[in-house]
Amino acid sequence: MSPDRYPSKLLENAVNEFARLPGVGRKTALRLVLHLLRQEKEDVAYFSNTLIRLRNEVMRCGICHNISDTAICDICGNPSRDAGIICVVESIRDVMAIENTHQYNGLYHVLGGIISPMDGISPSDLEIESLVKRAGAGGITEVILALPTTMEGDTTNFYIFRKLKSFEIAVTTLARGISVGDELEYADEITLGRSILNRTEFEKSMK
Amino acid sequence: MSPDRYPSKLLENAVNEFARLPGVGRKTALRLVLHLLRQEKEDVAYFSNTLIRLRNEVMRCGICHNISDTAICDICGNPSRDAGIICVVESIRDVMAIENTHQYNGLYHVLGGIISPMDGISPSDLEIESLVKRAGAGGITEVILALPTTMEGDTTNFYIFRKLKSFEIAVTTLARGISVGDELEYADEITLGRSILNRTEFEKSMK
């Protein structure tokens, strides 16, 4: 039993539910629940229905597995995007992050995770076979691996790289280097080392 | 329009709803929504229904205005509590905080806020008349004012004190002083000053 004594079982249930969300403790949960109690009934009903509709109606794009309201997502269905390039990412948050840069006009492939034996995630749990199928179907000139620079990310990169080796496709990865605005002395050695090895022409860097 | 480009309108709606909660930014909202997307449909439905039920079914205790599942709350309806003492608090969170100390066995009165002309909250917006009625009905020997030590709290304390002056009721307030475990040098001057003025017998303080 919780050490807190709630004046109402309904309140306690609602706090319990909010406290199950990641990063939400019981104090925060209580604050959120009391906030909802002060809202109009219609607003709380709308909030709740929005969540139910999201869970029941949202789809995965049949091509890139991004979240979508339709069978094919807006990106895959957009004829002005370059269908010859696929950017491989871990999750839809990465799609959103790259889209927000407005620097990429190709398509995506959302793996739904990365290979992690420690967490029991093997290649078959991820959308890797469908990526290989897309690559093998022709018309793809480049696959950009945009996975995290962790051991798991590197493992996944290498696994995908080997799977794609038989195709005539350039496999690239995001440039690693000093963040814009960062000072050299605070950069870690690996990042600084890579940024020297992969140095770019000064003229190109000014674009 | 939001600068973020969401892959789904359903997703964006859900993020918008979560981001309306206090202290929840758009990044956190997205994280929470993606978490819910990974849960079972039944669990999301349960979460949503819990909030709707809370908003539609929770009541205010007819005596102390605490949140309750019944017309009279568990505290007011508990015959083993001392019905002669009323502790006046701003919100139900204060009731929970005091209950968690297990040091108080009287009843409560939840004002629902404190007098704050800046925020347009006047005495008539609060449960002050009902407190005066309770006090006037007889059987009450003490009213403890447990409001915040802010200007608004002081104003509300004084307002209630004047309203209760005509009754034969002791009006008390919480002891202010150095927090247990705090060092003197870090205490603010007002708190330290009050803790000297209101010093207690050493023997009593050891209880």
Side-chain angles (χ1 to χ4, degrees):
Chain A
M1 202 194 123
S2 149
D4 278 335
R5 291 165 68 177
Y6 292 90
S8 146
K9 192 72 194 155
L10 291 165
L11 181 77
E12 186 170 2
N13 286 346
V15 170
N16 287 344
E17 285 298 305
F18 262 110
R20 285 156 57 123
L21 296 175
V24 178
R26 298 195 71 80
K27 290 229 173 202
T28 303
L30 177 61
R31 194 159 47 86
L32 297 178
V33 167
L34 291 179
H35 171 84
L36 285 180
L37 261 185
R38 285 192 300 270
Q39 307 309 303
E40 298 294 331
K41 283 185 184 181
E42 300 78 53
D43 291 342
V44 175
Y46 182 79
F47 176 82
S48 301
N49 287 330
T50 301
L51 301 184
I52 292 177
R53 279 199 60 194
L54 170 79
R55 182 62 189 84
N56 291 349
E57 296 177 25
V58 94
M59 288 185 261
R60 291 274 170 177
C61 170
I63 297 172
C64 73
H65 308 287
N66 192 5
I67 280 173
S68 171
D69 293 337
T70 45
I72 303 297
C73 78
D74 289 348
I75 295 174
C76 288
N78 184 345
S80 74
R81 301 205 53 138
D82 185 346
I85 310 179
I86 297 174
C87 180
V88 179
V89 294
E90 179 180 359
S91 77
I92 80 124
R93 292 163 77 180
D94 302 320
V95 173
M96 287 180 61
I98 295 174
E99 284 297 286
N100 284 338
T101 68
H102 302 284
Q103 299 292 321
Y104 179 65
N105 195 39
L107 305 184
Y108 293 92
H109 195 88
V110 180
L111 293 182
I114 47 179
I115 300 170
S116 174
M118 292 281 283
D119 302 315
I121 302 174
S122 70
S124 61
D125 297 319
L126 306 174
E127 291 293 348
I128 292 181
E129 270 318 303
S130 56
L131 171 65
V132 175
K133 222 177 256 177
R134 278 179 83 182
I140 307 296
T141 56
E142 182 178 358
V143 167
I144 305 170
L145 300 173
L147 300 177
T149 43
T150 57
M151 211 177 65
E152 290 81 8
D154 288 344
T155 304
T156 313
N157 278 339
F158 192 65
Y159 185 89
I160 293 173
F161 176 71
R162 280 199 313 180
K163 285 274 184 183
L164 299 180
K165 226 166 46 178
S166 57
F167 306 120
E168 287 278 314
I169 293 175
V171 177
T172 60
T173 181
L174 294 187
R176 307 292 176 182
I178 311 295
S179 291
V180 177
D182 265 14
E183 301 203 37
L184 289 199
E185 60 182 315
Y186 299 122
D188 67 283
E189 289 159 24
I190 297 174
T191 302
L192 189 54
R194 286 207 198 175
S195 75
I196 294 171
L197 285 176
N198 301 321
R199 59 195 177 278
T200 52
E201 281 178 44
F202 183 68
E203 264 196 297
K204 264 171 89 180
S205 76
M206 299 302 287
K207 279 205 290 192
Chain B
M1 203 195 120
S2 150
D4 277 335
R5 291 165 69 178
Y6 291 90
S8 147
K9 193 71 195 156
L10 291 164
L11 181 76
E12 186 170 1
N13 286 346
V15 170
N16 287 344
E17 285 298 304
F18 263 109
R20 287 156 57 122
L21 297 174
V24 177
R26 299 195 70 81
K27 291 230 174 203
T28 304
L30 177 62
R31 193 159 48 86
L32 297 178
V33 167
L34 291 179
H35 171 84
L36 285 180
L37 261 185
R38 285 193 299 269
Q39 308 308 305
E40 298 294 330
K41 283 185 184 181
E42 299 77 53
D43 291 341
V44 175
Y46 183 78
F47 177 82
S48 301
N49 288 330
T50 302
L51 301 185
I52 292 177
R53 279 199 60 194
L54 170 78
R55 182 62 189 83
N56 291 348
E57 297 177 26
V58 94
M59 287 185 262
R60 291 276 171 176
C61 171
I63 297 173
C64 73
H65 308 285
N66 193 4
I67 281 173
S68 172
D69 293 337
T70 46
I72 302 298
C73 78
D74 290 348
I75 296 173
C76 287
N78 183 345
S80 74
R81 303 211 43 144
D82 184 346
I85 310 180
I86 297 174
C87 181
V88 179
V89 293
E90 179 180 357
S91 76
I92 80 125
R93 292 162 78 180
D94 303 320
V95 173
M96 288 179 59
I98 295 173
E99 284 297 286
N100 284 338
T101 69
H102 302 283
Q103 298 293 319
Y104 179 65
N105 196 39
L107 306 185
Y108 293 92
H109 194 88
V110 181
L111 294 182
I114 47 178
I115 300 171
S116 175
M118 292 280 284
D119 302 315
I121 302 174
S122 70
S124 60
D125 298 319
L126 307 173
E127 292 293 346
I128 293 180
E129 270 316 304
S130 57
L131 171 65
V132 176
K133 221 176 257 176
R134 279 179 82 182
I140 307 295
T141 56
E142 182 178 358
V143 166
I144 305 171
L145 300 173
L147 300 178
T149 44
T150 57
M151 210 176 66
E152 290 82 9
D154 289 344
T155 304
T156 313
N157 278 339
F158 191 65
Y159 185 89
I160 293 172
F161 177 71
R162 281 199 313 181
K163 286 273 185 184
L164 300 179
K165 225 165 46 178
S166 57
F167 307 120
E168 288 278 313
I169 293 175
V171 177
T172 60
T173 181
L174 293 188
R176 307 293 175 180
I178 311 294
S179 290
V180 176
D182 265 14
E183 302 203 36
L184 289 200
E185 58 181 316
Y186 299 121
D188 67 283
E189 288 159 25
I190 297 174
T191 302
L192 189 54
R194 286 207 199 176
S195 76
I196 295 171
L197 285 175
N198 302 321
R199 59 196 178 277
T200 52
E201 280 177 44
F202 182 70
E203 263 196 297
K204 265 172 85 180
S205 75
M206 298 301 288
K207 277 206 288 192

